[in-house]
Amino acid sequence: MRGDYQQLVDDISAALGAPATLEDRDFVLIAFGAHGDDDVELTMDPVRTRSILQRRSTAAVRAWFEAFGIARAQAPLRIPPDPAAGVFKGRICLPVRHRGVVHGYVWLLDDEQLAGLDLSGPPADPRLAQAMETAARIGALLAAEARAEAELGELLRELLIGRPAGRDAARAALREALGPSGDGPLVLMAVTPWRAAGDAEGEEAEGAGSALAAQSGVAALCAVPDSLPDGSPALAALIRLRAMASPAPARTAADRLLRSPRAGGPPAAGAAPVSATAGLAAPRRGLTELSAAWVEALSAARAAAAEPRLGPVAEWADIGPYRALAALPPEAGADPSVRPLLAAAHAELARTAEAFLDCAGQAGRTAAALGIHRQTLYYRLARVEQLTGLDLDEGEDRLLLHMGLKAARL
């Protein structure tokens, strides 16, 4: 199907005599027309170059274009340049729609070749009419692809969190849909948090877009509600691997999914937006253990959010104590002895205690890691003991404090 898109984009380029690019509604590049060697510097600007080389546009560029109503447009429209965002040349946008829903955009640089196009009403220029007919064909293809992906996503969600009675049927249907890759090495990934609400026109926005999935080796993806302790959803992505010991395709997919506009959460009052993290379960052969793999993937994603050194992409095998801590029920809360140390006023003491325990109780290593004098360290540790009632010379008390501080991150 990717070849179909390329041919249709080439048809639009030929009809209008200008190189065109096709992006999905998340501004992920799907196909682009060829640029001539003689005029490439004249017809490119930083935004188009980035789109082609990195296969997507920045959030700033997306915001600039969407401010002109491209998601609601029924007809071609002109967009002026914005040098501050790297848009040095104006654009003509052909909305790619199917049955009233936008699925993507065809972009053309608004240069002298297209200056005479009249976009004020129904396409009078036969070249533009032909281009819009081709854009409608692209929309039908993207819609069909989205429906197929949604069906796979529904099967994956049922397999992960559905009732036991329905899992066998979902597994069989997903195995049939995936073909031979359903038996091959696979890895399940969680991306948290994930905004999965429908777009402004009410369409379901389950995944990250057909272009992204196709480019990243994703076999199926879906939004999974109530995945995090606070009830936030997560994205589940089932990724094909070349070999059990080769997670490179999964890390490539994670990198692209983390750059999706749906990855991450809204900011708290006065805070920065919440960055998304990804977790990779242990690879599996086939689909029989995906429920357990989902628990691993979510735990790894939460660990990556809790411990920056693990993220933004963490593998289940590498998250150490978080494998056990992530399994604790949310209602467990902090141990009463640890709770006083978790107050905002004692954040520095908590950081000192955790560093001390991470360094196996070695004062010299801890002081060096924190950049403080040993006497300062000893003073802080004494304050920790006073607040918690724990004895840091006792192994069990150290273990309780260490696990309590780690669990609080989750």
Side-chain angles (χ1 to χ4, degrees), residues 356 359-369 372-374 377-378 381:
F356 176 70
C359 292
Q362 297 179 27
R365 284 179 56 199
T366 307
I372 60 176
H373 194 276
R374 279 200 187 200
L377 173 64
Y378 294 143
L381 294 178

Side-chain angles (χ1 to χ4, degrees), residues 225-233:
D226 301 323
S227 295
L228 300 181
D230 64 358
S232 299

